[in-house]
Amino acid sequence: MISKDDLPIVGILRGVNEKDVKPLAEIFIKHRIKYVEITMNTAKAGMLISKFAEAGGKDMIIGAGTVLDTNDLDDAIAAGARFIVSPSLIPEVIEECVSKEIPVFPGALTPTEIHSCWKLGATMVKLFPASLF
């Protein structure tokens, strides 16, 4: 998924509007930011995921963040999300992503949570909230 030419950065968008899609996509592409996450707590997140995927074409990979349950997950996948981020350990979200071969990045804080994420098959685990450390 990540090549040596990719910047290891994920742009995280919250509260954007449909009118923001084209200019933001152009900025991300210009600056080689390939991975963009739209949070599911953004109004019309599904539509925005679809629009960003369309605007970014092959130059961007759009994912969904703040995925809190399988309803969010189903909406994100239907919209075209290619990776999933959650703020915490949500076993059913991880398991469904693993079964559908969708990269999933759950948030975890304690060693037990981190270990549980790995055991469930998480692609990567984000330390969250990292600001505590």
Side-chain angles (χ1 to χ4, degrees), residues 34-48:
K34 185 173 186 170
Y35 305 97
V36 177
E37 170 189 328
I38 308 293
T39 61
M40 292 303 287
N41 58 356
T42 296
K44 300 181 182 178
M47 179 270 298
L48 291 167

Side-chain angles (χ1 to χ4, degrees), residues 16-17 21 32 34 39-40 42 58 72 95 106 116:
V16 295
N17 296 304
V21 171
R32 296 182 21 210
K34 185 173 186 170
T39 61
M40 292 303 287
T42 296
K58 65 177 177 37
D72 284 346
E95 290 165 347
S116 295

Side-chain angles (χ1 to χ4, degrees), residues 43-104:
K44 300 181 182 178
M47 179 270 298
L48 291 167
I49 289 168
S50 295
K51 295 280 185 185
F52 268 100
E54 182 181 316
K58 65 177 177 37
D59 295 316
M60 290 173 59
I61 295 175
I62 309 303
T66 317
V67 174
L68 301 176
D69 55 36
T70 55
N71 290 329
D72 284 346
L73 178 61
D74 293 342
D75 292 346
I77 292 169
R82 294 177 51 199
F83 65 89
I84 301 297
V85 181
S86 64
S88 60
L89 167 58
I90 306 166
E92 58 273 14
V93 168
I94 298 170
E95 290 165 347
E96 191 168 334
C97 285
V98 169
S99 74
K100 293 180 178 183
E101 298 184 353
I102 297 171
V104 58

Side-chain angles (χ1 to χ4, degrees), residues 2-10 31-35:
I2 297 176
S3 77
K4 66 180 177 75
D5 297 322
D6 290 338
L7 294 175
I9 296 171
V10 176
H31 295 284
R32 296 182 21 210
I33 297 173
K34 185 173 186 170
Y35 305 97

